[in-house]
Amino acid sequence: MSSTAQTTAAPGLVSARPRLVSGAWPVLRSALLGVLGLVAAAGVWEAYKALAPEDGVLVGENRVLPRTTDLSMPHVWDMFQRLGEPVTSMQGAEPLWQVVGDAVVVSLKVAAAGWLVGTVVGLLLALLMSSLRVVEWGLLPWIVLSQTVPLIAFAPMVRSWGSRIEIGGWEWAPWMSVALIASYLAFFPVAVGALRGLQASDRIHTELMHTYDAGWWATLRRVRAPAAVPYLLPALRLGAAGAVVGTVVAEVSIVYPDGIGRMLVQYAGQASGDPEKAWAPIFGAVVLGLVAAGFVALLGLLLRNYRRGEAS
């Protein structure tokens, strides 16, 4: 290779590397801050357990901070040690971490299905409302009102309705009711965030597309959709969080036995005899939320070129 080719190729190589590093750094920084946050939470837990009275902090007759006994607040290292022990005293019982991990995988699949359905529904509603102002005026208040329905009361009704659906040899599975509840919480932030983003494109850009006689699809693809990304990514994060919360609550409400939600209730009932075990599904729920947030963070990394001025 000639010296001229080397000098022309080198700047491209040098400039490509900082772009890759700068794109991955926000995700790595968020992961490091998340780990530091968990370590800080464990430190605060142990400090309170060491310094606070065993009966907790009382104001008059009201307890404002919990007791510090091993029954109420086990040591962090004891909780992690319990994860490696068998889930029960029966011979051949699986380790606790494996049982919790299997439940997390089940809940993750259901939450992912609910998030995907909620995202698609939210995007379709946002497109419809952004295209016709009269639809936005009539539909948006009902979308907001839908989130006021008590989820605990709504989930058993969804389970009851779903159990009656049978088309040929196909039946409504219980996990579908959980996924439907998850999508019910996920679609709202996506619909509102995408609507705000689709309406955020500069007027001069849309008018320029009209000048070129560009159609609705071309304007959406080249102007409105890129402008909506900074608003859509925070909405997708909220939707993922809503899907996880909806999954856990629905699993408890409809008594779905395979997910992490039901395990939370089951192991909480055993806390008096095995307090460390009760915290295992809580750790599993935290991991479930972190995986959901991490997926959206990777999606944001893929769309980093459109994230300038991301809205909160």
Side-chain angles (χ1 to χ4, degrees):
M1 183 182 292
S2 64
S3 59
T4 305
Q6 290 177 352
T7 56
T8 56
L13 294 175
V14 173
S15 62
R17 188 175 301 170
R19 282 201 297 269
L20 293 175
V21 173
S22 62
W25 168 243
V27 177
L28 180 61
R29 181 181 59 187
S30 299
L32 290 176
L33 290 176
V35 172
L36 290 176
L38 293 176
V39 173
V44 171
W45 178 281
E46 290 297 331
Y48 175 77
K49 182 175 175 62
L51 300 176
E54 286 192 357
D55 202 33
V57 178
L58 301 175
V59 177
E61 297 181 355
N62 300 317
R63 181 177 290 104
V64 295
L65 291 177
R67 295 183 175 93
T68 59
T69 60
D70 291 339
L71 182 62
S72 300
M73 291 184 62
H75 287 289
V76 173
W77 50 84
D78 289 336
M79 290 186 280
F80 280 98
Q81 181 181 355
R82 182 65 180 87
L83 288 173
E85 299 174 357
V87 64
T88 64
S89 58
M90 296 179 59
Q91 186 175 4
E94 296 178 336
L96 180 59
W97 68 265
Q98 183 175 347
V99 176
V100 173
D102 292 341
V104 168
V105 171
V106 171
S107 296
L108 180 62
K109 292 179 180 179
V110 176
W115 179 80
L116 182 61
V117 172
T119 298
V120 171
V121 171
L123 290 176
L124 291 176
L125 290 174
L127 287 173
L128 183 61
M129 290 187 292
S130 64
S131 301
L132 298 171
R133 184 57 61 90
V134 65
V135 176
E136 178 187 352
W137 292 341
L139 191 59
L140 187 58
W142 289 103
I143 293 176
V144 175
L145 187 64
S146 68
Q147 301 302 297
T148 64
V149 178
L151 191 61
I152 295 179
F154 183 59
M157 295 193 322
V158 173
R159 176 69 180 95
S160 177
W161 295 337
S163 63
R164 301 171 188 174
I165 298 177
E166 184 176 353
I167 303 175
W170 180 84
E171 296 182 357
W172 182 271
W175 71 265
M176 296 180 181
S177 298
V178 180
L180 183 60
I181 297 298
S183 65
Y184 178 77
L185 290 185
F187 94 94
F188 172 74
V190 175
V192 175
L195 174 62
R196 185 183 177 192
L198 291 172
Q199 295 175 340
S201 58
D202 292 337
R203 185 176 179 180
I204 188 173
H205 294 160
T206 56
E207 290 180 349
L208 181 62
M209 296 297 289
H210 293 159
T211 303
Y212 290 152
D213 198 23
W216 176 85
W217 172 249
T219 304
L220 174 67
R221 184 167 60 91
R222 296 187 178 276
V223 176
R224 294 188 182 276
V229 171
Y231 297 86
L232 183 59
L233 287 175
L236 291 177
R237 284 195 289 267
L238 291 175
V244 170
V245 172
T247 298
V248 174
V249 174
E251 287 173 348
V252 174
S253 300
I254 70 173
V255 196
Y256 182 66
D258 299 330
I260 197 69
R262 193 59 189 171
M263 186 176 288
L264 284 167
V265 178
Q266 179 184 354
Y267 287 5
Q270 305 172 10
S272 58
D274 194 351
E276 293 84 5
K277 182 180 179 181
W279 288 91
I282 297 177
F283 293 155
V286 172
V287 171
L288 179 62
L290 291 176
V291 171
F295 174 77
V296 179
L298 290 177
L299 183 61
L301 184 61
L302 295 176
L303 299 174
R304 61 184 179 273
N305 292 335
Y306 303 101
R307 296 184 63 178
R308 289 185 290 271
E310 182 171 321
S312 58

